[in-house]
Amino acid sequence: MGLNDTPSGERVHIGFFGRRNAGKSSVVNAVTGQDLAIVSDTKGTTTDPVYKAMELLPLGPVMIIDTPGFDDSGALGELRIRKTRQVLNKTDIAVLVVDAAEGMTTADRELLLRITEKEIPHVVVFNKTDLLEGPAVAAADEIYVSALKKQGIVELKERLGSLVPQKEGKLALVGDLIHPSDFVILVVPIDKAAPKGRLILPQQQTIRDILEADAAAIVVKEYELRYTLLQLGKKPALVITDSQVFSKVSADTPTDIPLTSFSILMARHKGWLDTAVRGVTAVEQLRDGDTILIAEGCTHHRQCDDIGTVKIPRWLRNYTGKDVHIQTVSGMEFPDDLSPYAMIIHCGGCMLNERELRYRMKCAGDQHIPITNYGITIAYMQGILKRSLEVFPYLADIIS
């Protein structure tokens, strides 16, 4: 991925939902202008959610999601319905596709109720209007289209554009913490789990944010930091490190230079830094036999010293002296029932959009399960959390 590409977690997620054979996939193809989804007269053709990142005017960068039919049956159907419900948790705009010839059914109304309960901006699309005998009158949140005849599709796209969530108040990653001409040092160990030749996503996004703030990004490996600081000739405004080398970077960075991590910046950017800082103290209450859920938003090939499955569990057992059990989930998988867990330690969530992360936070909050993230947990166990949060004065009361 290039520095100019929009990450999936920053795209508007548009989910298309409805009963089997209502024409969801046909509407998706008409809206996107390409054969994104397989179209068939056979019910249940879409078996798993189909994701497509694209530019969709007038919205800009979006993630289109075509979901399985909500009225599917049998054991496989239940699995498809569960996946469809999971998609709702990350949907910024919901499109409920209804067969105009049949009208709203109980299944449609049930799905619409779920959408409204989650306060998701939405539009109800009555498809197959070419089969109607006369004109139909649409309510405020409805539109009539024919995917086959390409009728009403432009109007639908304009309606979607009007529903785009406003994000003016969303915090930058680091741009608001620095000034033009500042130096920012990024400590980036070579991550064996990342594709060869690439930085991981939070590092790419941070570099882009620094450049957009008219500041300079200096990227070094952990063993080059001390020498770089000596040779720089000017004190950097900030040092940002990968959490895995937090301890060494803290020791090599003078205390008069602000220090934080990519993971902490990402938590603030996604809107859950306060919650994650409060949740990390649950480490002190862990007991023998407790189960900790370690959740990652993406899936990747795990290395022998993987951060989520190896390093953090090892550091937890060493820090607490307790025989704790670890359970891991990744990607879209996140348990509905969190009661078996003493706490949740989540990744930075760079591949998840804000709605999905807030849903997971709410699940944890509703079930009174502490939740935190990788970087905050590592900094806490290594005794440097307070220092790594000093760039955010409003957290002083939480970490005192």
Side-chain angles (χ1 to χ4, degrees), residues 161-197:
S162 71
L163 294 175
V164 173
Q166 300 301 310
K167 296 186 177 182
E168 287 85 353
K170 188 169 183 177
L171 291 169
L173 264 173
V174 68
D176 60 321
L177 303 176
I178 57 179
H179 301 92
S181 301
D182 277 347
F183 289 167
V184 181
I185 297 182
L186 311 181
V187 183
V188 178
I190 299 301
D191 192 338
K192 293 180 180 179
K196 187 175 182 180

Side-chain angles (χ1 to χ4, degrees), residues 263 266 272 291-300 302 306-310 312-313 316 325-338 341 343-352 356-357 359-361 363-364 369-375 377:
S263 185
M266 185 61 69
W272 70 299
T291 300
I292 299 167
L293 177 66
I294 293 184
E296 293 188 339
C298 60
T299 56
H300 61 270
R302 300 191 185 279
D306 180 70
I307 181 69
T309 58
V310 179
I312 289 180
L316 276 170
H325 302 150
I326 303 295
Q327 181 176 330
T328 61
V329 294
S330 61
M332 281 290 293
E333 297 302 318
F334 192 77
D336 295 323
D337 181 11
L338 300 174
Y341 309 111
M343 69 181 298
I344 302 165
I345 303 176
H346 206 289
C347 70
C350 61
M351 297 302 293
L352 301 177
E356 169 74 6
L357 272 176
Y359 164 76
R360 296 184 180 195
M361 285 168 50
C363 287
I369 308 299
I371 183 169
T372 188
N373 83 350
Y374 284 12
T377 303

Side-chain angles (χ1 to χ4, degrees), residues 12-193:
V12 174
H13 284 53
I14 306 175
F16 287 75
F17 304 91
R19 294 181 294 115
R20 290 174 296 164
N21 231 30
K24 293 187 309 300
S25 298
S26 296
V27 172
V28 169
N29 290 344
V31 167
T32 61
Q34 56 185 271
D35 292 333
L36 168 63
I38 298 173
V39 177
S40 170
D41 290 332
T42 303
K43 286 188 175 184
T45 301
T46 303
T47 57
D48 285 293
V50 177
Y51 292 77
K52 174 65 175 180
M54 63 184 302
E55 297 284 327
L56 183 64
L57 296 176
L59 287 82
V62 299
M63 178 68 76
I64 299 292
I65 314 171
D66 184 24
T67 65
F70 196 73
D71 60 332
D72 213 341
S73 58
L76 183 57
E78 284 297 320
L79 179 60
R80 293 173 181 169
I81 291 171
R82 180 170 174 266
K83 288 181 177 292
T84 296
R85 288 172 176 165
Q86 288 177 336
V87 171
L88 273 175
N89 299 329
K90 61 165 51 182
T91 297
D92 295 308
I93 299 174
V95 179
L96 174 57
V97 180
V98 177
D99 187 325
E102 296 184 20
M104 292 279 284
T105 67
T106 300
D108 293 318
R109 294 188 182 93
E110 177 187 342
L111 184 52
L112 184 58
L113 178 61
R114 288 181 177 272
I115 291 170
T116 54
E117 285 177 342
K118 290 179 178 291
E119 300 180 344
I120 302 173
H122 64 274
V123 58
V124 179
V125 176
F126 287 91
N127 186 32
K128 305 181 184 180
T129 55
D130 52 289
L131 300 180
L132 299 180
E133 295 182 358
V137 179
D141 63 344
E142 299 174 350
I143 187 171
Y144 281 78
V145 308
S146 169
L148 178 64
K149 303 291 186 180
K150 303 296 187 293
Q151 296 170 350
I153 299 303
V154 172
E155 292 81 0
L156 172 57
K157 292 166 69 173
E158 291 175 347
R159 180 75 64 87
L160 294 176
S162 71
L163 294 175
V164 173
Q166 300 301 310
K167 296 186 177 182
E168 287 85 353
K170 188 169 183 177
L171 291 169
L173 264 173
V174 68
D176 60 321
L177 303 176
I178 57 179
H179 301 92
S181 301
D182 277 347
F183 289 167
V184 181
I185 297 182
L186 311 181
V187 183
V188 178
I190 299 301
D191 192 338
K192 293 180 180 179

Side-chain angles (χ1 to χ4, degrees), residues 146-274:
S146 169
L148 178 64
K149 303 291 186 180
K150 303 296 187 293
Q151 296 170 350
I153 299 303
V154 172
E155 292 81 0
L156 172 57
K157 292 166 69 173
E158 291 175 347
R159 180 75 64 87
L160 294 176
S162 71
L163 294 175
V164 173
Q166 300 301 310
K167 296 186 177 182
E168 287 85 353
K170 188 169 183 177
L171 291 169
L173 264 173
V174 68
D176 60 321
L177 303 176
I178 57 179
H179 301 92
S181 301
D182 277 347
F183 289 167
V184 181
I185 297 182
L186 311 181
V187 183
V188 178
I190 299 301
D191 192 338
K192 293 180 180 179
K196 187 175 182 180
R198 279 191 222 171
L199 300 177
I200 61 175
L201 184 56
Q203 295 161 359
Q204 295 184 45
Q205 290 179 270
T206 302
I207 292 172
R208 177 62 183 263
D209 213 35
I210 292 168
L211 297 179
E212 289 186 346
D214 295 323
I218 302 172
V219 184
V220 301
K221 292 187 288 188
E222 65 271 33
Y223 296 105
E224 300 167 345
L225 174 61
R226 181 174 294 182
Y227 177 78
T228 301
L229 289 170
L230 290 173
Q231 297 298 313
L232 196 55
K234 175 183 176 181
K235 186 168 67 176
L238 183 63
V239 173
I240 305 170
T241 182
D242 185 286
S243 300
Q244 298 185 61
V245 292
F246 227 144
S247 182
K248 175 171 177 53
V249 171
S250 178
D252 289 349
T253 304
T255 55
D256 62 338
I257 298 176
L259 169 68
T260 192
S261 75
F262 295 104
S263 185
I264 289 172
L265 291 174
M266 185 61 69
R268 187 182 74 120
H269 180 60
K270 296 289 186 178
W272 70 299
L273 180 57
D274 301 33

